[in-house]
């Protein structure tokens, strides 16, 4: 049985890799353009770059003398640096990065399929479904880009595969895959750090009958994340101070965007909302103006006086005391999640001869279906969550149930963080949650295993 599963894994990997490489390179490479944050990944790869929103993709980034001192520990930078090493010179070629990511994506699909305790009748449809997710136009371009979401997708699927493998015969291999995938997913962005405690709980549940391997995996995940987050120079916050914790440099920016784009949006009782936040009525002139707007609240002469009111605690209190408005914001965010793809991220380089900001639609299956549901908002999203939760409960004695619970809690956490904590680029910031949702729905259709070999914590041979 183990040999058959191994052979199946290599077969799925080979076919998936071939499909993804053709999808990536034919008729020409695709990626996603810089939205203004690409300098972070590039700096981690040793390249200094001044980012701005681009209408075309840069397929090659030339090396810069002296390198770059990174301030953001993004796992996409790890792959970008590997692409620099693998490439023929010290430049970063996004085609090389895309090939490396395609290998990892194919491996992620394969380990999930191997970890499922089913016959080919179940495993092959799951492989096709997951491959279509990885190849979907809403996700695939991130793999060969300077944006951080690509390694979140790769890491989450690898971690799911690792959990499934640990729940079956391959405890050592599953532990290694979980650590690699977990470190990629957790360190993909500041927003994905919340995945760490969820994955730790999942690992301990899967290995509860053999606690030592589980503890070793947890130590590797926690230690690796600590090293990644402390191995870079602290980022500088808008007030000029060094960040004490990950995300401190963007906290004020996020709160300004959340308050003046989500709460003080110009479509509700602006005066009352300002009063409930402890802000002066004169700030109403900035309704709908985010941090980077030409006329932001940060230029107001009274901003420094009220700056402490733009805090997470104050914003959370407002959400808690205004449930109707909060529900409306969450409903809009659900529509953003299901929309799947922001219109401003281009897929092609200028040499393609296509209009600025042109996007590819080679594999739009899952994102196309989700976009059809986007107008329904929470009315479409909540049933999918409940379905996943029900299936996780049905599989609660198996590693699959743990994996489904991990995906569900991750997607809910990512959804809430993006909906209530960012305020801008809402469709892009929900893409990790959408990825988890699609993977969870596909795995939810697996039947309950008849064999006790799928039970959580099975003793490996």
């Amino acid at each position: 049985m183990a040999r058959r599963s191994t052979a199946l894994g290599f077969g799925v990997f080979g076919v998936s890799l071939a499909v993804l490489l053709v999808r990536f390179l034919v008729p020409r490479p695709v990626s996603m353009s810089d939205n203004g944050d690409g300098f972070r990944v590039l700096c981690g790869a040793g390249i200094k770059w001044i980012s701005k929103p681009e209408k075309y993709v840069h397929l090659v980034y030339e090396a810069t003398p002296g390198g770059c001192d990174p301030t953001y520990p993004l796992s996409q930078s790890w792959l970008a640096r590997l692409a620099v090493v693998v490439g023929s010179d010290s430049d970063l070629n996004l085609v090389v990065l895309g090939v490396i990511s395609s290998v990892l994506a194919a491996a992620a699909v394969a380990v999930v399929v191997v970890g499922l305790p089913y016959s080919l009748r179940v495993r092959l449809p799951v492989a096709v479904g997951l491959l279509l997710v990885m190849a979907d136009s809403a996700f695939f371009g991130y793999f060969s880009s300077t944006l951080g979401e690509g390694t979140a997708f790769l890491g989450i699927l690898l971690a799911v595969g690792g959990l499934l493998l640990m729940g079956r015969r391959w405890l050592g291999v599953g532990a290694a895959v979980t650590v690699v995938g977990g470190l990629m997913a957790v360190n993909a962005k500041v927003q994905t750090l919340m995945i760490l405690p969820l994955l730790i709980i999942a690992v301990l549940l899967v290995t509860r009958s053999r606690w030592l391997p589980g503890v070793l995996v947890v130590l590797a995940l926690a230690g690796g994340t600590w090293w990644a987050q402390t191995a870079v120079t602290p980022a500088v916050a808008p007030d000029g101070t060094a960040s004490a914790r990950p995300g401190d440099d963007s906290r004020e920016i996020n709160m300004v965007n959340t308050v003046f784009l989500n709460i003080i949006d110009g479509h509700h009782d602006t005066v009352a909302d300002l009063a409930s936040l402890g802000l002066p009525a004169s700030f109403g002139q900035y309704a709908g103006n985010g941090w980077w707007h030409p006329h932001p609240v940060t230029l107001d002469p009274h901003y420094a006086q009220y700056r402490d009111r733009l805090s997470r605690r104050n914003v959370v209190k407002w959400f808690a005391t205004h449930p109707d408005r909060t529900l409306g914001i969450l409903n809009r965010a659900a529509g953003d999640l299901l929309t799947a793809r922001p219109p401003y991220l281009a897929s092609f380089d200028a040499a393609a001869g296509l209009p600025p900001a042109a996007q590819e639609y080679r594999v739009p299956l899952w994102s196309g279906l989700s976009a059809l549901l986007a107008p329904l908002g929470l009315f479409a999203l909540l049933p999918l969550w409940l379905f996943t939760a029900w299936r996780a409960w049905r599989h609660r004695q198996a590693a699959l149930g743990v994996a489904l619970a991990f995906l569900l809690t991750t997607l809910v956490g990512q959804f809430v963080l993006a909906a209530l904590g960012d305020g801008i680029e809402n469709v892009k910031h929900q893409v990790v949650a959408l990825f988890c949702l699609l993977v969870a729905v596909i795995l939810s259709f697996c039947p309950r295993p008849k064999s006790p070999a799928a039970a959580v914590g099975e003793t490996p041979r």
Side-chain angles (χ1 to χ4, degrees), residues 356-393:
Q359 295 183 318
E360 58 92 2
Y361 293 90
R362 297 176 185 175
V363 187
L365 176 63
W366 293 118
S367 58
L369 292 174
S370 68
L372 293 176
L373 299 175
L376 298 177
L378 287 174
F379 289 100
L381 192 58
L382 286 177
L384 293 173
W385 287 0
L386 292 174
F387 171 70
T388 302
W390 172 63
R391 296 303 293 172
W393 178 255

Side-chain angles (χ1 to χ4, degrees), residues 75 78 111 151 154-166 170-187 195-196 199-200 203 207 212-225 228 406:
S75 51
W78 306 345
V111 295
T151 44
L154 295 171
I156 287 170
L157 195 60
L158 282 170
V160 168
L163 291 172
L164 295 175
L165 288 174
M166 284 193 294
W170 299 278
L171 185 60
V173 175
V177 172
T178 302
V179 170
V180 172
L183 289 176
M184 290 175 63
V186 170
N187 296 283
I195 295 176
L196 180 59
L199 183 56
I200 286 175
V203 168
T207 61
L212 182 57
V215 170
L216 293 177
V217 172
V218 168
L219 291 176
L221 289 170
T225 299
F406 165 67

Side-chain angles (χ1 to χ4, degrees), residues 305-324:
Q305 179 182 352
Y306 293 96
R307 183 181 175 190
D308 63 325
R309 304 300 300 166
L310 298 169
S311 64
R312 288 181 179 175
R313 177 175 295 184
N314 204 27
V315 168
V316 169
K317 180 180 177 182
W318 187 94
F319 284 134
T321 55
H322 295 77
D324 54 335

Side-chain angles (χ1 to χ4, degrees), residues 44-98:
I47 297 173
K48 290 183 179 179
W49 186 263
I50 300 176
S51 286
K52 64 180 185 299
E54 301 275 4
K55 298 295 184 181
Y56 288 103
V57 172
H58 292 277
L59 287 179
V60 177
Y61 290 90
E62 296 181 355
T64 53
C68 186
D69 191 10
T71 57
Y72 294 90
L74 307 179
S75 51
Q76 184 77 352
S77 294
W78 306 345
L79 298 188
R81 189 172 287 275
L82 177 61
V84 171
V85 174
V86 172
S88 59
D89 50 39
S90 56
D91 299 339
L92 172 61
N93 190 319
L94 295 188
V95 175
V96 177
L97 176 60

